[in-house]
Amino acid sequence: MAFPANLMLHILSRLPVKSLVRFASVRKAWDALIRDSHFISQHLRLNISKTGCLVVKYRSQITRKHVISLLLLDGYVLSDLEIPSVMDSNHLKFVGSCNGLLCLAHDTFANLGSPIILWNPAMAEFRVLPDSLIGSANVHNARVSGVALGFGYHPLIDDYKLVRIVSLSRSNTPCIRAEVYSLKTDCWLEIDTLYFDIYEPSCTAVNGFLYWIAYGRVESELILSFDMRNEAFGQLQLPDLNVLGSPMCKKLAALKESLYLMAYTFSGRQKEFYVWQMVEQNAEVLWKLECTIGPLLGVERPLGCSLYGEIYIESSRGELVLYDPTTQETKNVPTRGLRFSSEVHFYVESLVSTNGQAAAESRRVLILGQSLKKIRGNTRNAEKCDNQICFLPKASPRCMKMNFSRLNDNVNSLLYT
């Protein structure tokens, strides 16, 4: 007795990614299912609702090589990931993690042609992104003084975007150029910018926006924002840190779809951390002091927040420490890297492809074409164009259009009813 289609969908949507990838080789219908955008979204929502894990990047104290590990939120180490060989270098930069996709780059601006990759570890899939528009050949003899990156997802447009900001200097005159890559269109676009100088290159993604800490034109500190939907930059004011009395280092973090700012003293054996939450009230951005942490002994800098409000901190020995503001207790996590080498990001397994929507549509054409071949008996030779495979049945254009539409309805009916 066969399972009802809706029951099968219910079961498959709760399985791990690796199991689903193995099942894809069993039946063509399952292969089509795990590549279908509706199923990918449903599977992702269920995974996010469960307890996710952390992805931690650090440099080994023994080998000096970069290590990327998966940890449960309580600090238990699950496994070390095998970094794609194209990114295995001393200059590895972890740009961001979003819905199961990791973005990696080379932390060097001397070579503007350094590769950037998208990587889905759960599916053992990665892809080098197309060459960007702003390269060594078109900066017109300007000196490159810095490159900042940001990676995130905007739910309203269902697209993953990467922003690349290049700081240039020509005849001692600073210049900023920026470009954005869209996974949906698989291309780069150069965009207008404001004047700013990003001095904290790590980026935080929250609710379709990217954020960096930067300087403005009058050397005042601010938060630079980027709206991934409108592809436009903006500015936010920082909270008043002068009341703290001494210079502060700053780190942005995301927690429960809100932007947080963590300020801390750089010197001294004991560190204090001040945590602000950004809130919007009557279309105005306000900062609320959420908590004060410390003084703590033997810690170096904050790295980020967990889903439950704990704060990850790097110790002065390169260890990862989990601090609970509620109980004011700390817990050591069994990872130790070189000082100032650790980064933490939230991670969840997903079926999101590094090839984006174009690959999904190509795969759907392939499946529909194979179904037409089975129904009509034979097809002409497959034609390949723009990396897509199109099957052309022996039928008039009007008949072919009708068949594809009917098959599309049948596939959706099979999978989602």
Side-chain angles (χ1 to χ4, degrees):
M1 180 179 178
F3 281 107
N6 58 347
L7 179 58
M8 182 65 69
L9 179 63
H10 179 83
I11 295 172
L12 292 176
S13 63
R14 284 159 174 78
L15 294 180
V17 171
K18 290 184 179 179
S19 298
L20 290 171
V21 172
R22 287 198 301 266
F23 292 166
S25 62
V26 177
R27 295 183 61 183
K28 291 181 180 179
W30 288 356
D31 184 46
L33 176 65
I34 70 168
R35 299 173 188 275
D36 184 90
S37 59
H38 300 288
F39 181 78
I40 291 172
S41 298
Q42 180 178 345
H43 184 269
L44 177 61
R45 284 194 299 269
L46 290 172
N47 272 359
I48 292 177
S49 66
K50 303 174 186 176
T51 301
C53 60
L54 285 179
V55 57
V56 181
K57 195 271 289 184
Y58 60 94
R59 292 190 69 177
S60 169
Q61 294 184 347
I62 300 174
T63 65
R64 297 299 195 267
K65 290 186 176 181
H66 290 280
V67 179
I68 297 180
S69 300
L70 290 181
L71 281 69
L72 293 178
L73 295 182
D74 60 3
Y76 177 79
V77 179
L78 293 175
S79 63
D80 291 340
L81 299 178
E82 184 176 353
I83 301 173
S85 58
V86 69
M87 300 306 296
D88 190 9
S89 76
N90 293 328
H91 303 290
L92 179 66
K93 177 180 178 58
F94 201 121
V95 180
S97 171
C98 187
N99 294 344
L101 292 184
L102 309 183
C103 183
L104 304 180
H106 285 291
D107 192 12
T108 173
F109 52 81
N111 180 11
L112 290 179
S114 298
I116 304 174
I117 74 165
L118 291 182
W119 177 28
N120 186 327
M123 298 184 69
E125 173 185 288
F126 78 91
R127 184 169 70 97
V128 179
L129 297 187
D131 292 339
S132 59
L133 301 176
I134 306 173
S136 302
N138 61 5
V139 295
H140 307 299
N141 299 320
R143 181 177 62 87
V144 180
S145 57
V147 176
L149 298 166
F151 174 67
Y153 171 77
H154 201 300
L156 295 182
I157 58 175
D158 189 25
D159 195 9
Y160 297 83
K161 293 191 176 183
L162 171 69
V163 176
R164 185 168 179 261
I165 303 169
V166 180
S167 299
L168 303 169
S169 177
R170 186 181 298 110
S171 301
N172 295 324
T173 302
C175 172
I176 304 295
R177 295 177 64 182
E179 57 188 342
V180 58
Y181 169 82
S182 164
L183 184 59
K184 183 176 288 187
T185 62
D186 190 30
C187 65
W188 290 90
L189 176 68
E190 187 163 0
I191 55 176
D192 295 332
T193 68
L194 306 172
Y195 177 81
F196 45 77
D197 181 14
I198 297 177
Y199 70 87
E200 171 52 60
S202 63
C203 178
T204 300
V206 183
N207 290 335
F209 283 80
L210 301 175
Y211 299 96
W212 301 263
I213 298 177
Y215 282 114
R217 282 192 176 276
V218 293
E219 296 297 319
S220 60
E221 289 182 295
L222 53 86
I223 295 178
L224 176 70
S225 67
F226 180 78
D227 185 341
M228 286 185 280
R229 184 182 187 185
N230 300 323
E231 298 185 347
F233 287 100
Q235 298 180 4
L236 300 173
Q237 295 298 317
L238 289 165
D240 184 8
L241 302 180
N242 294 325
V243 296
L244 301 178
S246 59
M248 290 282 163
C249 298
K250 303 162 194 70
K251 170 70 176 176
L252 295 175
L255 174 61
K256 297 179 180 179
E257 299 185 351
S258 294
L259 181 67
Y260 282 75
L261 173 73
M262 294 181 284
Y264 59 101
T265 52
F266 181 74
S267 59
R269 297 183 60 190
Q270 292 185 328
K271 301 288 178 67
E272 287 186 299
F273 302 87
Y274 303 88
V275 182
W276 276 270
Q277 179 188 9
M278 187 185 78
V279 295
E280 294 188 29
Q281 183 175 337
N282 298 327
E284 183 180 1
V285 173
L286 303 175
W287 291 95
K288 173 186 175 184
L289 182 60
E290 194 76 10
C291 64
T292 301
I293 300 170
L296 299 177
L297 183 65
V299 298
E300 201 68 57
R301 62 194 178 103
L303 299 175
C305 301
S306 79
L307 288 178
Y308 306 109
E310 296 95 344
I311 297 175
Y312 294 97
I313 303 173
E314 185 182 58
S315 76
S316 55
R317 296 189 298 176
E319 296 173 323
L320 189 61
V321 177
L322 182 62
Y323 176 84
D324 188 335
T326 304
T327 63
Q328 299 184 3
E329 295 178 346
T330 59
K331 174 183 177 181
N332 288 335
V333 178
T335 63
R336 178 183 290 185
L338 297 176
R339 290 179 64 191
F340 302 105
S341 72
S342 297
E343 300 177 50
V344 298
H345 300 267
F346 179 72
Y347 175 76
V348 59
E349 283 194 351
S350 81
L351 293 164
V352 177
S353 173
T354 61
N355 291 306
Q357 187 175 7
E361 292 301 324
S362 173
R363 184 68 183 175
R364 193 166 188 84
V365 170
L366 174 62
I367 295 299
L368 291 176
Q370 290 173 337
S371 299
L372 271 174
K373 180 177 180 181
K374 188 174 181 180
I375 291 174
R376 299 191 60 84
N378 56 53
T379 66
R380 301 173 188 171
N381 293 331
E383 293 186 3
K384 183 181 290 187
C385 57
D386 296 330
N387 296 321
Q388 295 189 10
I389 300 176
C390 305
F391 284 82
L392 304 178
K394 290 182 178 179
S396 66
R398 182 177 59 182
C399 181
M400 185 178 71
K401 182 177 180 181
M402 177 189 68
N403 288 335
F404 266 85
S405 176
R406 188 174 299 168
L407 275 169
N408 192 48
D409 293 340
N410 290 339
V411 170
N412 287 329
S413 176
L414 172 64
L415 299 180
Y416 300 106
T417 59

